Amino acid sequence: MAYSDKVLDHYENPRNVGSFDKADSSVGTGMVGAPACGDVMKLQIKVNEQGVIEDARFKTYGCGSAIASSSLVTEWVKGKTLEEARQIKNSQIVEELALPPVKIHCSVLAEDAIKAAIEDFQEKQGAKENDDASSSAA
Amino acid sequence: MRDDLTKNHFELFGLPAEFDIDHAELASRYRELQRRFHPDRVAGASDQERRLSMQLTAQINEAFQILKDPLKRGRYLLALAGIETDEDTDTIMEPAFLMEQMDLREELEAIRERPNAHEQLAKMGQDIAQRRKARLDQLKQYLASDDNGAYQTARNVLREMQFLEKLSHEIDALEEELI
């Protein structure tokens, strides 16, 4: 199957590959997988005090479309608030990368990964606030 | 003949709708069905009967492909119970499982560069084969239960098996490449 130029560009020069420390409280980690193709995607966001995503990293094992989808999303989320990042739809990824119908699930994977990362970050923050509250009450 | 078109795959083959299947029986039923509905055998029949027989032949072939393969058979049994495996759309898996899959893929990538790549690859292949076997046994066990909870667990096991199957293909591909 022929990949679009944009997919090839992200595949050959993936943006933001790598990892943040999962234990860092300013980091949210999303891990998702697509059984259909056995792809695994890890997407991480680093969020500042204002709730803005400062930086993002990804690691994806999968086809070119899955790599391109995650690479693109890490670019898109930078500078966005969590609420804005949550609005990213897989259809936007499909459109930007001109993914064919059989590769739509790669874009679903990327959308779900960013949502999972946001959720993980917010859970961590919630846990931290609870800790703070209980320690101040003590 | 028309009635046969609406049967599910197990019914068509006259086999109980169970995961544990008698493969010899399956193969002999397949040959029998193929003979009975072969389009050549209804040469004197009407156009409609011939069309029906062609449709049935296609259905028999499809059913055979599904019933003989453990993963496809498991997926089909779940679907009959109204449980879809959503392998394209449901990306939520046990995080520990996904983390392990990521580690295994990293390991596979690292093996490529090592001097004893062949040996390590063979070892990894065995390890993955064991994991697949263990899950196949689980799948058999959970699908033998009538309990809905057991079927939901079977769904997870089947979804995990998809990742391991993909990994096995990748190991095989690297083995070929390194020859």
Side-chain angles (χ1 to χ4, degrees):
Chain A
M1 184 185 19
Y3 284 127
S4 71
D5 288 345
K6 277 181 180 161
V7 170
L8 280 179
D9 178 35
H10 278 280
Y11 181 65
E12 282 163 5
N13 314 291
R15 281 52 141 187
N16 311 309
V17 175
S19 292
F20 294 133
D21 177 8
K22 214 167 59 169
D24 185 337
S25 67
S26 67
V27 169
T29 304
M31 282 285 287
V32 290
C37 47
D39 291 357
V40 196
M41 186 180 289
K42 181 173 83 174
L43 204 146
Q44 293 183 300
I45 50 172
K46 203 181 194 70
V47 186
N48 69 16
E49 298 276 325
Q50 286 73 46
V52 173
I53 299 170
E54 275 189 333
D55 209 352
R57 291 279 184 278
F58 83 93
K59 197 155 202 187
T60 294
Y61 282 91
C63 65
S65 301
I67 291 168
S69 295
S70 33
S71 170
L72 176 69
V73 164
T74 54
E75 277 199 319
W76 274 356
V77 295
K78 277 197 218 176
K80 280 192 163 66
T81 64
L82 294 176
E83 216 28 69
E84 288 165 349
R86 209 199 301 274
Q87 303 304 321
I88 292 174
K89 291 276 172 295
N90 83 292
S91 52
Q92 297 167 288
I93 302 168
V94 170
E95 198 186 324
E96 174 70 18
L97 295 175
L99 295 179
V102 293
K103 291 294 176 185
I104 287 176
H105 64 271
C106 300
S107 67
V108 173
L109 206 56
E111 179 193 322
D112 289 352
I114 181 67
K115 289 207 161 81
I118 293 169
E119 213 164 284
D120 179 60
F121 171 77
Q122 287 178 330
E123 255 172 45
K124 268 187 185 170
Q125 293 300 304
K128 207 175 87 182
E129 272 161 31
N130 282 341
D131 276 358
D132 292 348
S134 55
S135 55
S136 58
Chain B
M1 200 153 67
R2 179 179 287 279
D3 288 351
D4 290 304
L5 276 175
T6 57
K7 286 180 177 167
N8 77 36
H9 297 339
F10 289 100
E11 289 166 351
L12 183 62
F13 276 69
L15 292 167
E18 288 167 359
F19 184 72
D20 223 351
I21 206 166
D22 182 340
H23 285 274
E25 188 69 30
L26 176 69
S28 88
R29 295 279 167 97
Y30 176 56
R31 283 190 297 270
E32 193 188 308
L33 283 168
Q34 268 186 320
R35 265 199 307 274
R36 180 149 38 116
F37 294 113
H38 197 283
D40 288 352
R41 290 183 69 92
V42 286
S46 67
D47 281 357
Q48 197 199 8
E49 274 177 310
R50 257 203 304 277
R51 265 202 309 278
L52 258 175
S53 123
M54 274 163 72
Q55 268 182 51
L56 259 174
T57 304
Q59 196 172 325
I60 291 161
N61 287 333
E62 196 203 331
F64 182 60
Q65 296 306 321
I66 288 174
L67 294 184
K68 75 172 181 183
D69 179 89
L71 272 184
K72 289 179 184 160
R73 187 168 68 247
R75 192 181 294 124
Y76 185 67
L77 270 170
L78 285 170
L80 285 180
I83 298 172
E84 297 296 332
T85 46
D86 304 317
E87 287 152 68
D88 257 353
T89 49
D90 180 3
T91 66
I92 310 300
M93 306 274 301
E94 189 67 47
F97 175 79
L98 289 176
M99 202 62 93
E100 189 182 64
Q101 288 303 301
M102 197 141 245
D103 289 346
L104 285 166
R105 280 164 172 77
E106 264 168 38
E107 170 68 10
L108 184 60
E109 217 163 64
I111 283 178
R112 176 193 295 271
E113 311 299 330
R114 295 192 190 134
N116 58 345
H118 279 288
E119 199 183 309
Q120 294 207 358
L121 209 51
K123 228 172 120 189
M124 190 173 184
Q126 282 167 12
D127 172 41
I128 300 304
Q130 272 175 17
R131 289 174 200 240
R132 290 175 67 184
K133 172 77 175 63
R135 280 187 175 72
L136 189 61
D137 291 343
Q138 285 181 347
L139 191 64
K140 193 181 280 189
Q141 185 195 329
Y142 290 122
L143 285 175
S145 166
D146 286 336
D147 179 46
N148 186 266
Y151 263 56
Q152 289 295 341
T153 312
R155 176 184 184 267
N156 291 340
V157 172
L158 196 145
R159 284 162 53 85
E160 290 184 1
M161 287 172 83
Q162 284 287 116
F163 285 88
L164 293 170
E165 193 166 285
K166 175 79 188 301
L167 195 54
S168 283
H169 289 320
E170 279 169 19
I171 291 171
D172 291 347
L174 185 56
E175 237 161 21
E176 293 260 310
E177 198 188 311
L178 291 177
I179 283 170

